Amino acid sequence: MSRYFLLLAFGFATLGLVLGLYMGIRQNHGQLVTHAHIMLVGFVLTLVYALCHRLWLGKPPAWLAKTQLAVHLMASLVFLSALFMLYAQWYSEDILGPVLGLSGIGVLLALLLMFWMLFRHPAMPSE
Ligand code: HEM
Ligand code: HEM
């Protein structure tokens, strides 16, 4: 699992840095919020999940770990795409607001699932 999260984190980092460089080159910081969240929700949070699997999680049920990964992946992709579309002014806030709200709740839900797994299935001291 930690490897999936690690590869995903670096995928997001690539996207986020390309967007950051694009903003710098174009001298147009309109996508600042999208860049910041791709780096923080996409890269940093995903990397933290990789470390959780590597260092602090014991053996949570496979279905639970897979569900947490799926919820985090789906919610982050929707959340970050909706942010990009909002700041690119492709669609109005009326349309994207509920999408951002629901996907944001999805990101939070995945965080709570990880919290639960860390609480219920900690690594043994020798692991
Ligand atoms: C190639 C590397 C990067 C480039 C070219 C880049 C570029 C930018 C630019 C142009 C802005 C907008 C600044 C503004 O308008 O005030 C920005 C903001 C930001 N970047 Fe990056 N960035 C890079 C790497 C990173 C990394 C590695 C992270 C975090 C892990 C990060 C997190 C942020 C955050 C949180 C903001 C928002 C700061 C604020 O609210 O003022 N960036 N970046
Ligand atoms: C689903 C989860 C999240 C939601 C709904 C959310 C929402 C927001 C909103 C509405 C803003 C203000 C944007 C603006 O200036 O117009 C913001 C800014 C910010 N958020 Fe988040 N956020 C989320 C997750 C995170 C996470 C996980 C981090 C850090 C690990 C983070 C770090 C920041 C930072 C540094 C800023 C200020 C930079 C900026 O202006 O973009 N956020 N967030």
Side-chain angles (χ1 to χ4, degrees):
M1 281 311 273
S2 68
R3 188 170 157 75
Y4 291 136
F5 278 110
L6 192 66
L7 294 176
L8 190 60
F10 277 81
F12 277 126
T14 310
L15 272 181
L17 289 187
V18 168
L19 187 59
L21 284 168
Y22 176 81
M23 287 194 301
I25 292 165
R26 292 291 302 266
Q27 295 277 303
N28 175 355
H29 295 183
Q31 288 288 355
L32 153 80
V33 179
T34 313
H35 161 76
H37 285 87
I38 295 178
M39 292 317 294
L40 297 170
V41 178
F43 176 54
V44 178
L45 194 57
T46 309
L47 192 63
V48 169
Y49 290 155
L51 293 174
C52 287
H53 274 279
R54 190 84 188 146
L55 297 174
W56 299 295
L57 271 178
K59 291 203 166 32
W63 67 267
L64 188 55
K66 283 182 190 161
T67 304
Q68 196 271 341
L69 169 64
V71 174
H72 176 67
L73 177 59
M74 293 302 167
S76 309
L77 283 177
V78 174
F79 181 65
L80 299 172
S81 312
L83 268 185
F84 184 86
M85 289 189 256
L86 181 70
Y87 287 95
Q89 296 178 345
W90 287 359
Y91 299 98
S92 72
E93 207 169 330
D94 293 350
I95 297 172
L96 289 172
V99 180
L100 285 166
L102 283 176
S103 55
I105 291 170
V107 173
L108 176 64
L109 189 68
L111 183 104
L112 293 176
L113 281 176
M114 179 56 80
F115 194 3
W116 173 252
M117 287 195 291
L118 288 167
F119 182 65
R120 283 302 303 272
H121 306 279
M124 293 297 123
S126 59
E127 278 182 287

